[in-house]
Amino acid sequence: MSGWDRFKPSRSRLGRNPTNMDQRTVPRTVTLGRVQPQAPSHRTIYCNDRDANLVLRFKGNSISTTKYNFFSFLPKGLYEQFRRVANLYFLMVSILSATPYSPVHPITNVVPLSLVLLVSLIKEAFEDWKRLQNDMTINNTLVDVLQDPRWECIPWKRLQVGDIVRVKQDGFFPADLLLLASTNPDGICYVETANLDGETNLKIRKALERTWDYLTSEKAFEFKGEVQCEQPNNSLYTFTGNLVMENQTLPLSPNQLLLRGCSLKNTEYIVGAVIFTGHETKVMMNSMNVPSKRSTLERKLDKLILALFCTLFSMCLIGAIGSGVFINKKYYFLGLDKGVEDQFNPNNRFLVALLTMLTLLTLYSTIIPISLYVSIEMIKFIQSTQFINKDINMYHAETNTPALARTSNLNEELGQVEYIFSDKTGTLTRNLMEFFKCSIGGEMYGTGSTETERGIAEQNGIKLQEQKLTNAVHEKGFNFVDERLMRGAWRNEVNADACKEFFRCLAICHTVLPEGDESPEKIKYQAASPDEAALVIAAKNFGFFFYRRTPTAIFVRESHVERMGKVQDVSYEILNVLEFNSTRKRQSVVCRYPDGRLVLYCKGADTVIFERLTVGNDNLRKVTREHLEKFGASGLRTLCLAYRDLVPDVYESWNEKFIHAKSSLRDREKKLDEVAELIEKDLILIGATAIEDKLQEGVPNCIETLSRAGIKIWVLTGDKIETAINIAYACNLMNNEMKQFIISSETDAIREVEERGSQVEIARFIKEEVKNKLKKCIDEAQQYFHNVSGPKSALVIDGKCLMYALDPSLRAMLLTLSLNCASVVCCRVSPLQKAQVTSLVKKGARKITLSIGDGANDVSMIQAAHIGVGISGLEGMQAVMASDFAIAQFRFLKDLLLVHGRWSYLRICKVVMYFFYKNLTFTLTQFWFTFYTGFSGQRFYDDWFQSLFNVIFTSFPVIVLGLFEKDVSASLSKRYPELYKEGIRNAFFKWRVVATWAFFAVYQSLVFYHFVTTSSYAAESSSGKMFGLWDVSTMTFTCVVVTVNLRLLMMCNSITRWHYIGVGGSIVAWFLFIFLYSGLMTKHDRQENIYWVIYILMSTAYFYVALLLIPVAALLVDFIYQGVQRWFFPYDYQIVQEIHGHEPDDSRTDLLEIENNLTPEEARSYALSQLPRELSKHTGFAFDSPGYESFFASQRGIFAPHKAWDVAKRASMRSKPKIRQSWLKFSDRINMGSGNGRRPYCFSLWSTGAQTKQYDGSTTATSPPKQAGKSLAAIFFKKEIS
């Protein structure tokens, strides 16, 4: 074990001086998705030589993702807690309470602060302990390492840079490795990167030919090489380096790099050298936290806390001024003549006021709710982990993917979203590509109809006839119908040679890996993208079956090429692969035919291919462009195919430049792109492919529902403008009723300027064109903006125009136009432009934004929005790793926003308001007492009462409120999406709402103080003694605890057993505490005056009468206010409650079907039985609006006896126009007819319907599905307007 368990003194290898090596620089960490190049330096690694690497001090392979360690936990944890203003404030108050000027014991403020800090630190410790356990499991995983020509198992954490390791099939790579050898032929291995980016398709990695032999331990022990490579960085898909061995320099690329966390598949084992370890591996450098985001409500909460600070300061200032005025020697009985403390010295009134200010600051400190933040954190955490993550309605069974809340900070933000920015591919669509149509040599093939075409036809009232072919070939990835190309029929086409080149390009120009048996029925393809797999599957069905790949060749089984029915296996030598990236937007392969022909096949976006076509054949170019436009109008994804025959001399000259660029350590990617430009020119157009990406299930319905909720949806995509528009039609984002504003760079004027080639002139002209178009659109749109009943508008803009529209001089015009459009579609946009558009609305309009996407190109957009949602799709997990919430399908947004988002917003608002109310109420009773003590700072309550009020006696019920409050059920939340608009308007956290709660806090505090103090004058104990200060304060505190807990029940819309346990338990906890506290006394007890107080109080009738009447008097005004508000000024959700509050949870039976089998009398009785009752089963209402039975009966056309309350109800409806608006603003006005000078407003409250009779005498027919299973009855509210 020499050289392993302990290291010998370092020795220099022949020809090397390790001390002169380039020292490693610590790379700057960046957030995921924002890859930045490292400094232009490199590191040198000596393979299989630990001693030589020791002097370079490379990092070890042990990782730690914990936030704290044993020594830093307490100081760092406390620092994190005291970064909060509220905690810092209470620390200051606790220090002040230890001074002689404090009227309260330090324990009054120290105890609640300590409890809050303790809970927060325990939570932090628990989360960090989980991270530590995970780290220990990973660090202790075993791996085979070469040591003294044999393999030894050691933990991952003991690996060092330069070690030679062996990884077996299905094993994970312990570090970033340089692939040396593989058991597969030609040094190939297959890698799954699911843990890295979520992609389950296998990637191929190939060792350098010079290292293929180092497979056994004996041969690997002989390997001595020097790796010169880039510094550690977080770019997952790039790697530059050279392997120097035996005086030969071999270029290294990402094809030889195996990243930590990936797993080995379909390979017995591989041998590799460790390049990067531990926190320097690429996956660890990408594991940055998502940028910290604070919800809008939390920022508004800071303003509320600031308002409380101002209130506290005002109260203290009043008390300080009062103290300075009150203090006087004439009050001889106070003994203020001589030897008095500075705080009560009449000779220095300013000092008296100043010291009283400090005294009152500690006395009134409870006005700031210390447990507010920790309670909200706890509520949000449970909401995320127990409600969102476990919602069965957001679980995708096909992929076994539940919803995932990656942060709990933004739960309530989900209830206020006004703008959604969505990617298209993989987000609105399935990202399951099917080859659907094509264009070859100017001829279009494919007869099917896409979902988009069928959707547009239905909107235009046209029914498309699907062509059914019994012998049509259909498999996953191939949905092509046209007999002219199938089964060798293409040989009979006029453009047969073009067809042959087309099919060969599909079969050769790709990076797909075949798996399984080499037969068309059993083979499986592993592709980097679904598009590429669909193209290879298409080639197979056309008779060009790709079945095998080696590092240097592709094997294709070609049918019907020389003659019908003949099948031959052809090997094409792959000389170079110019890979696809987002900048190039194309992929090329240079191959050699068996007969020696050199061909470059290229496929890519139409814009880049057309730029590189050879001069001539304009007719083919024009016809293909027309076909591309038709494909785009059908919602299809298009690619252009082209080829070029190469001359050997030209190719050899180019290949030397290519090899030189590939060996470069600096700017390798840039140099490769420049070299590719030299050969990807003078191309001959073959044709174009059209692939259908079907819409995800439920997308149109989800978008329609979200639109009704007041949410505006923008689609930001890289697709062609025609494709994006038609997808928008298919998913109900746009319709023929809308006025469309299209700003496109595809105009004759812009093309003419672009052909001149002057970049400065092009930029100036396009900017001016965009400016003129924006002005024209805004002028034209004015009539639509101000006409509520007019048609909605939609904006469509492409990336080139958007680039100029985002210029600071035009940004305001773009924002004005887009904010007034119901839908916005941005086409041909880059990832940066997606983020810029999102930031434009977020910062410019100050609206709550949500971005949703599924790919790496959506990361910047996701991080730029208030809320980022990632979709676990086929494009990897980069979007999920950067998101705040993750879902499997776009349609789950409906549950995430309309249910969980709205509930969370409502709950957090109520929690904050309740905290504000109860603390203000409690503190004000102390404030009123100050007026009767000469502003001396005498405390009204015992220290322990003040300490435990927030953390014990009122803490649990507010947690229950934040977890279980529910105004309407989940189904009703989605059935009435208009309810969501209350969150957008921030209806429950306005200053008006705060002022209302403040009014009730002032009123109740006055009731508590004056009712108790006044009534106690005449009260006396069983021994005949009058009640003293501590008797009165204990009685007051009891009334406060009982009242604020009961007030919580009044604000609940639904009450569960947890509410009763929480409220009842808090009240019982108070009595248990006071029984023990006043029943015990020690010699060190400061508050001996509390001794036996509760027993004396409870021995009198006064206690029970006061405990009954004072809470009733305090809550009476709240009760009346809730009733008046609910009856005359109801919120939208209260209207829905009244409609559905009497319905059982299960679906009601079909009324129409039942009534058809009843006699008229039975039907009337049954109808009356279905009407709402006066006594609501929906708990938590202040009181039910009476007379609803006869009111609803009359609206349904059913005779029922009138009640007295009906008259008042109807009179109030006629006399209050706001009532009409509040009931109708929520409705869908399905009919606006005119007759006899009146216009009835009708509102159907059931989503399904039948032919129903309206009460203006007309009828409306609807056609619901017969199997809907929902109630088909319709209620109509109408209000006649002259």
Side-chain angles (χ1 to χ4, degrees):
M1 300 299 288
S2 175
W4 186 262
D5 291 329
R6 62 182 184 276
F7 298 119
K8 299 177 182 178
S10 62
R11 54 181 174 83
S12 299
R13 299 181 60 168
L14 183 62
R16 303 190 188 101
N17 185 2
T19 59
N20 295 330
M21 303 285 176
D22 292 332
Q23 295 300 314
R24 295 177 300 121
T25 59
V26 180
R28 184 171 66 90
T29 57
V30 295
T31 55
L32 178 64
R34 300 177 186 270
V35 177
Q36 296 188 7
Q38 303 297 314
S41 60
H42 65 276
R43 72 195 306 185
T44 301
I45 301 165
Y46 304 112
C47 299
N48 207 11
D49 191 342
R50 278 200 166 193
D51 295 334
N53 291 321
L54 178 63
V55 71
L56 298 175
R57 298 185 178 276
F58 293 120
K59 286 190 175 180
N61 200 41
S62 177
I63 64 164
S64 174
T65 59
T66 58
K67 190 175 179 180
Y68 310 99
N69 58 38
F70 180 79
F71 298 102
S72 69
F73 174 73
L74 201 57
K76 192 174 180 180
L78 290 175
Y79 170 75
E80 291 290 333
Q81 295 305 315
F82 286 119
R83 288 175 64 185
R84 291 178 173 172
V85 178
N87 289 346
L88 196 61
Y89 161 77
F90 270 95
L91 177 64
M92 180 191 70
V93 170
S94 299
I95 295 172
L96 283 177
S97 63
T99 64
Y101 307 111
S102 173
V104 297
H105 196 275
I107 201 169
T108 304
N109 294 300
V110 172
V111 168
L113 178 62
S114 302
L115 288 176
V116 167
L117 294 178
L118 180 64
V119 171
S120 298
L121 290 176
I122 289 175
K123 172 179 170 287
E124 289 286 320
F126 176 77
E127 292 178 351
D128 223 39
W129 173 251
K130 289 292 184 183
R131 297 188 196 104
L132 177 62
Q133 288 182 314
N134 185 54
D135 291 344
M136 291 173 63
T137 301
I138 293 173
N139 288 331
N140 290 314
T141 305
L142 298 179
V143 66
D144 290 340
V145 178
L146 183 66
Q147 195 268 321
D148 293 338
R150 65 175 180 273
W151 301 110
E152 296 285 347
C153 282
I154 68 165
W156 281 16
K157 62 184 179 183
R158 292 178 59 191
L159 272 184
Q160 296 289 335
V161 172
D163 287 347
I164 307 298
V165 300
R166 179 178 67 176
V167 179
K168 299 178 181 177
Q169 182 168 340
D170 297 326
F172 291 93
F173 303 126
D176 289 350
L177 308 178
L178 171 65
L179 177 60
L180 298 178
S182 167
T183 54
N184 288 342
D186 300 324
I188 283 177
C189 73
Y190 299 96
V191 176
E192 184 181 74
T193 59
N195 281 350
L196 193 65
D197 57 15
E199 297 182 12
T200 55
N201 51 288
L202 299 184
K203 312 292 190 307
I204 189 171
R205 295 291 181 265
K206 176 176 177 282
L208 296 175
E209 188 173 352
R210 289 294 307 273
T211 63
W212 288 358
D213 296 333
Y214 299 109
L215 193 59
T216 63
S217 58
E218 293 80 9
K219 291 290 294 182
F221 189 72
E222 299 173 3
F223 174 68
K224 302 295 180 184
E226 183 179 303
V227 176
Q228 297 172 349
C229 66
E230 62 190 9
Q231 290 290 345
N233 60 72
N234 61 355
S235 177
L236 295 175
Y237 307 108
T238 62
F239 177 74
T240 54
N242 291 324
L243 174 62
V244 181
M245 56 182 296
E246 299 176 2
N247 296 323
Q248 186 176 4
T249 301
L250 306 172
L252 300 174
S253 72
N255 286 330
Q256 287 83 48
L257 191 65
L258 305 175
L259 299 182
R260 177 185 176 120
C262 300
S263 58
L264 184 67
K265 299 291 182 182
N266 298 348
T267 308
E268 184 180 348
Y269 68 86
I270 62 97
V271 174
V274 177
I275 303 296
F276 302 128
T277 52
H279 288 277
E280 292 185 339
T281 58
K282 290 181 179 288
V283 66
M284 290 304 297
M285 297 190 74
N286 269 284
S287 60
M288 299 297 127
N289 292 327
V290 177
S292 178
K293 298 180 180 179
R294 294 185 70 206
S295 69
T296 305
L297 192 143
E298 191 173 342
R299 287 192 290 269
K300 291 179 180 177
L301 175 59
D302 290 343
K303 295 180 181 178
L304 179 60
I305 296 296
L306 184 61
L308 286 176
F309 274 121
C310 294
T311 304
L312 173 63
F313 180 78
S314 301
M315 293 167 59
C316 294
L317 184 62
I318 292 172
I321 295 173
S323 177
V325 173
F326 175 84
I327 204 75
N328 199 307
K329 291 184 179 180
K330 69 177 182 180
Y331 302 112
Y332 61 90
F333 49 85
L334 296 178
L336 304 178
D337 294 331
K338 54 184 177 179
V340 70
E341 300 175 13
D342 292 338
Q343 188 176 355
F344 305 106
N345 188 353
N347 298 322
N348 193 343
R349 294 177 183 269
F350 177 78
L351 183 61
V352 169
L354 184 62
L355 295 178
T356 302
M357 188 96 174
L358 297 177
T359 299
L360 296 180
L361 190 65
T362 60
L363 194 60
Y364 301 154
S365 62
T366 52
I367 195 172
I368 308 294
I370 188 174
S371 57
L372 172 60
Y373 285 104
V374 70
S375 298
I376 289 179
E377 271 191 9
M378 190 181 303
I379 289 168
K380 288 182 177 182
F381 179 75
I382 297 175
Q383 284 176 351
S384 299
T385 57
Q386 301 300 315
F387 298 159
I388 295 178
N389 292 0
K390 296 184 179 180
D391 187 352
I392 192 66
N393 292 320
M394 293 193 292
Y395 171 74
H396 193 232
E398 295 179 15
T399 58
N400 189 30
T401 307
L404 174 64
R406 290 172 50 82
T407 177
S408 60
N409 294 337
L410 305 172
N411 293 358
E412 71 277 11
E413 195 93 320
L414 291 170
Q416 297 181 277
V417 174
E418 191 167 356
Y419 285 88
I420 292 178
F421 300 91
S422 173
D423 179 39
K424 183 185 77 68
T425 304
T427 303
L428 298 178
T429 58
R430 300 180 187 179
N431 205 16
L432 295 174
M433 311 302 179
E434 290 185 335
F435 188 93
F436 201 75
K437 291 183 180 182
C438 63
S439 171
I440 306 176
E443 185 69 26
M444 185 160 56
Y445 299 94
T447 60
S449 300
T450 65
E451 287 182 342
T452 303
E453 288 176 310
R454 290 192 291 271
I456 295 173
E458 288 177 7
Q459 290 181 353
N460 295 330
I462 304 171
K463 186 168 184 178
L464 295 179
Q465 296 293 330
E466 283 291 324
Q467 184 178 359
K468 300 291 184 181
L469 296 177
T470 55
N471 58 349
V473 177
H474 182 76
E475 67 172 290
K476 184 178 179 181
F478 187 76
N479 188 18
F480 180 84
V481 179
D482 197 327
E483 289 299 312
R484 290 179 293 171
L485 296 184
M486 304 303 296
R487 300 175 184 85
W490 56 270
R491 290 177 53 85
N492 301 322
E493 293 295 300
V494 177
N495 55 353
D497 290 338
C499 291
K500 183 165 58 177
E501 292 291 350
F502 183 88
F503 300 146
R504 279 179 176 160
C505 183
L506 295 182
I508 296 173
C509 185
H510 58 75
T511 57
V512 175
L513 300 175
E515 268 190 339
D517 294 341
E518 295 179 354
S519 63
E521 296 79 16
K522 296 182 180 179
I523 198 165
K524 293 182 180 179
Y525 293 120
Q526 295 287 346
S529 70
D531 300 75
E532 203 166 36
L535 295 177
V536 175
I537 291 171
K540 179 184 75 172
N541 284 282
F542 289 134
F544 289 72
F545 171 39
F546 160 63
Y547 63 90
R548 188 187 308 160
R549 174 190 287 276
T550 69
T552 57
I554 276 181
F555 296 85
V556 180
R557 188 167 298 154
E558 299 181 350
S559 305
H560 318 296
V561 174
E562 295 184 1
R563 66 175 186 274
M564 286 295 293
K566 183 178 179 180
V567 180
Q568 58 184 1
D569 290 348
V570 183
S571 171
Y572 296 94
E573 184 182 359
I574 304 301
L575 302 176
N576 307 92
V577 177
L578 306 177
E579 296 183 356
F580 175 90
N581 61 46
S582 58
T583 304
R584 284 168 39 78
K585 296 184 179 178
R586 63 191 182 278
Q587 179 187 42
S588 299
V589 168
V590 180
C591 66
R592 179 182 282 122
Y593 278 47
D595 60 4
R597 178 191 176 196
L598 280 175
V599 182
L600 178 139
Y601 285 113
C602 183
K603 66 181 181 185
D606 54 348
T607 52
V608 297
I609 297 296
F610 273 78
E611 291 174 356
R612 290 161 175 78
L613 294 180
T614 187
V615 180
N617 209 350
D618 294 335
N619 184 54
L620 175 60
R621 189 182 306 194
K622 179 181 177 183
V623 173
T624 304
R625 190 182 290 274
E626 292 175 355
H627 292 168
L628 287 169
E629 291 176 356
K630 290 181 180 179
F631 294 153
S634 301
L636 299 173
R637 297 162 59 89
T638 58
L639 280 177
C640 285
L641 308 185
Y643 77 99
R644 176 189 177 188
D645 284 306
L646 301 175
V647 178
D649 293 340
V650 174
Y651 169 72
E652 293 298 336
S653 174
W654 173 86
N655 193 39
E656 290 180 6
K657 299 175 183 176
F658 178 77
I659 293 173
H660 179 73
K662 199 172 182 180
S663 303
S664 175
L665 272 178
R666 298 184 181 180
D667 300 326
R668 179 181 294 182
E669 297 297 324
K670 180 181 177 182
K671 292 178 180 178
L672 285 174
D673 289 349
E674 292 172 353
V675 172
E677 290 285 350
L678 300 177
I679 199 170
E680 292 174 330
K681 62 182 181 179
D682 298 329
L683 303 176
I684 299 173
L685 183 63
I686 307 173
T689 62
I691 294 176
E692 181 181 20
D693 187 7
K694 295 179 180 291
L695 286 175
Q696 286 186 11
E697 178 188 349
V699 166
N701 175 263
C702 178
I703 288 180
E704 182 184 6
T705 303
L706 293 177
S707 298
R708 289 172 56 199
I711 300 173
K712 296 179 181 178
I713 301 174
W714 294 22
V715 174
L716 312 178
T717 178
D719 283 337
K720 294 166 64 71
I721 193 167
E722 297 85 1
T723 305
I725 289 176
N726 285 285
I727 288 293
Y729 267 96
C731 61
N732 290 337
L733 199 61
M734 294 171 59
N735 56 57
N736 292 330
E737 313 281 326
M738 289 183 172
K739 171 63 179 176
Q740 295 181 14
F741 303 109
I742 300 179
I743 303 177
S744 171
S745 60
E746 298 294 323
T747 63
D748 294 335
I750 293 178
R751 284 199 191 102
E752 184 179 341
V753 175
E754 287 178 335
E755 288 174 1
R756 298 174 193 164
S758 174
Q759 295 299 323
V760 176
E761 176 65 17
I762 291 172
R764 187 198 63 77
F765 183 82
I766 296 179
K767 183 176 180 180
E768 192 64 29
E769 280 288 297
V770 171
K771 181 179 180 180
N772 294 335
K773 287 182 179 180
L774 285 173
K775 283 184 178 179
K776 181 182 176 181
C777 291
I778 291 176
D779 293 339
E780 188 178 348
Q782 290 300 322
Q783 53 181 323
Y784 299 103
F785 294 170
H786 302 294
N787 189 354
V788 178
S789 60
K792 296 180 179 180
S793 55
L795 172 64
V796 181
I797 184 170
D798 68 7
K800 192 175 292 185
C801 292
L802 182 64
M803 179 174 64
Y804 296 99
L806 288 171
D807 185 87
S809 60
L810 301 181
R811 196 177 296 165
M813 296 173 63
L814 174 65
L815 187 63
T816 301
L817 177 62
S818 55
L819 289 182
N820 287 280
C821 292
S823 302
V824 175
V825 178
C826 300
C827 318
R828 297 287 196 185
V829 292
S830 65
L832 177 60
Q833 287 178 319
K834 290 182 178 183
Q836 288 175 333
V837 171
T838 305
S839 298
L840 177 67
V841 177
K842 176 183 177 181
K843 297 177 181 178
R846 298 186 181 276
K847 304 291 185 182
I848 307 299
T849 58
L850 179 148
S851 290
I852 179 170
D854 71 320
N857 61 334
D858 301 317
V859 168
S860 55
M861 174 180 72
I862 286 173
Q863 292 182 337
H866 289 95
I867 305 169
V869 178
I871 288 189
S872 315
L874 301 179
E875 292 191 18
M877 297 291 285
Q878 293 99 323
V880 171
M881 292 165 67
S883 67
D884 304 302
F885 299 89
I887 55 178
Q889 297 276 288
F890 182 87
R891 69 177 187 271
F892 295 153
L893 268 186
K894 188 161 61 173
D895 286 273
L896 186 65
L897 298 183
L898 303 187
V899 179
H900 294 286
R902 205 180 65 81
W903 281 352
S904 296
Y905 168 72
L906 178 68
R907 289 165 177 168
I908 297 300
C909 285
K910 288 198 171 186
V911 166
V912 172
M913 290 297 107
Y914 180 73
F915 262 104
F916 169 73
Y917 148 78
K918 70 183 182 68
N919 280 63
L920 187 59
T921 302
F922 176 66
T923 307
L924 284 176
T925 55
Q926 174 71 63
F927 180 65
W928 307 135
F929 178 69
T930 304
F931 284 87
Y932 292 86
T933 60
F935 305 98
S936 60
Q938 167 65 36
R939 53 198 170 87
F940 186 44
Y941 298 114
D942 179 76
D943 290 344
W944 281 103
F945 294 4
Q946 193 165 331
S947 300
L948 303 180
F949 176 76
N950 272 314
V951 295
I952 299 293
F953 305 138
T954 59
S955 60
F956 187 65
V958 77
I959 301 293
V960 174
L961 172 69
L963 294 178
F964 300 108
E965 170 62 1
K966 183 171 63 176
D967 54 353
V968 295
S969 65
S971 60
L972 290 178
S973 295
K974 291 181 285 186
R975 187 170 172 182
Y976 298 103
E978 292 82 1
L979 292 173
Y980 189 83
K981 294 179 182 178
E982 292 177 325
I984 295 177
R985 296 193 302 265
N986 197 23
F988 304 119
F989 204 83
K990 293 181 178 294
W991 287 112
R992 176 178 56 82
V993 179
V994 174
T996 303
W997 281 98
F999 167 78
F1000 291 124
V1002 173
Y1003 164 75
Q1004 291 184 11
S1005 65
L1006 288 170
V1007 170
F1008 293 140
Y1009 180 76
H1010 289 289
F1011 277 36
V1012 173
T1013 55
T1014 304
S1015 60
S1016 63
Y1017 291 158
E1020 57 184 29
S1021 65
S1022 55
S1023 61
K1025 294 181 179 180
M1026 294 180 61
F1027 286 155
L1029 168 62
W1030 304 111
D1031 301 293
V1032 174
S1033 66
T1034 303
M1035 183 72 240
T1036 305
F1037 190 82
T1038 303
C1039 292
V1040 170
V1041 170
V1042 171
T1043 304
V1044 297
N1045 278 288
L1046 292 178
R1047 181 63 181 87
L1048 182 137
L1049 291 179
M1050 289 178 60
M1051 66 189 296
C1052 294
N1053 287 291
S1054 57
I1055 298 180
T1056 66
R1057 67 177 181 274
W1058 293 106
H1059 289 78
Y1060 296 120
I1061 294 172
V1063 172
S1066 296
I1067 296 174
V1068 169
W1070 155 245
F1071 280 105
L1072 290 177
F1073 167 77
I1074 192 61
F1075 286 156
L1076 293 174
Y1077 183 56
S1078 65
L1080 300 175
M1081 186 176 67
T1082 65
K1083 54 175 124 177
H1084 303 292
D1085 194 351
R1086 180 186 176 198
Q1087 301 304 337
E1088 63 275 2
N1089 289 323
I1090 294 296
Y1091 182 66
W1092 217 247
V1093 164
I1094 190 64
Y1095 298 100
I1096 295 173
L1097 282 173
M1098 295 185 71
S1099 65
T1100 65
Y1102 164 77
F1103 175 82
Y1104 302 98
V1105 174
L1107 190 58
L1108 176 65
L1109 297 182
I1110 292 177
V1112 170
L1115 295 174
L1116 181 62
V1117 175
D1118 298 71
F1119 189 77
I1120 295 173
Y1121 170 80
Q1122 283 190 311
V1124 172
Q1125 179 271 320
R1126 185 181 186 85
W1127 200 354
F1128 296 101
F1129 310 98
Y1131 287 109
D1132 291 343
Y1133 77 85
Q1134 292 173 328
I1135 298 173
V1136 175
Q1137 286 177 343
E1138 292 294 349
I1139 296 167
H1140 298 281
H1142 305 271
E1143 294 180 3
D1145 291 336
D1146 53 340
S1147 300
R1148 295 167 69 176
T1149 54
D1150 194 322
L1151 296 183
L1152 293 183
E1153 293 181 5
I1154 294 176
E1155 290 176 347
N1156 289 338
N1157 300 321
L1158 300 179
T1159 65
E1161 185 62 23
E1162 291 172 335
R1164 175 182 172 277
S1165 300
Y1166 179 80
L1168 282 174
S1169 70
Q1170 299 301 309
L1171 294 175
R1173 302 290 97 190
E1174 286 193 36
L1175 296 177
S1176 172
K1177 296 178 184 177
H1178 198 293
T1179 56
F1181 296 174
F1183 55 82
D1184 280 332
S1185 302
Y1188 263 76
E1189 179 177 317
S1190 53
F1191 174 73
F1192 276 78
S1194 65
Q1195 297 297 329
R1196 291 192 185 185
I1198 304 169
F1199 172 76
H1202 283 279
K1203 298 181 180 180
W1205 280 105
D1206 261 328
V1207 180
K1209 177 64 180 177
R1210 297 192 180 198
S1212 66
M1213 288 182 67
R1214 293 192 183 98
S1215 60
K1216 297 283 186 181
K1218 288 186 178 179
I1219 300 172
R1220 181 203 70 226
Q1221 294 171 5
S1222 63
W1223 283 74
L1224 291 178
K1225 67 183 178 183
F1226 176 70
S1227 66
D1228 293 324
R1229 298 171 183 181
I1230 59 174
N1231 181 40
M1232 294 182 67
S1234 62
N1236 300 325
R1238 300 181 301 179
R1239 295 194 308 174
Y1241 279 56
C1242 301
F1243 165 27
S1244 175
L1245 296 177
W1246 266 260
S1247 58
T1248 57
Q1251 187 173 14
T1252 55
K1253 186 173 178 63
Q1254 299 182 8
Y1255 293 102
D1256 58 337
S1258 62
T1259 59
T1260 298
T1262 58
S1263 302
K1266 293 182 180 179
Q1267 69 273 20
K1270 300 286 185 181
S1271 171
L1272 297 181
I1275 303 177
F1276 295 97
F1277 292 93
K1278 70 177 182 178
K1279 178 68 180 177
E1280 295 180 351
I1281 306 175
S1282 299

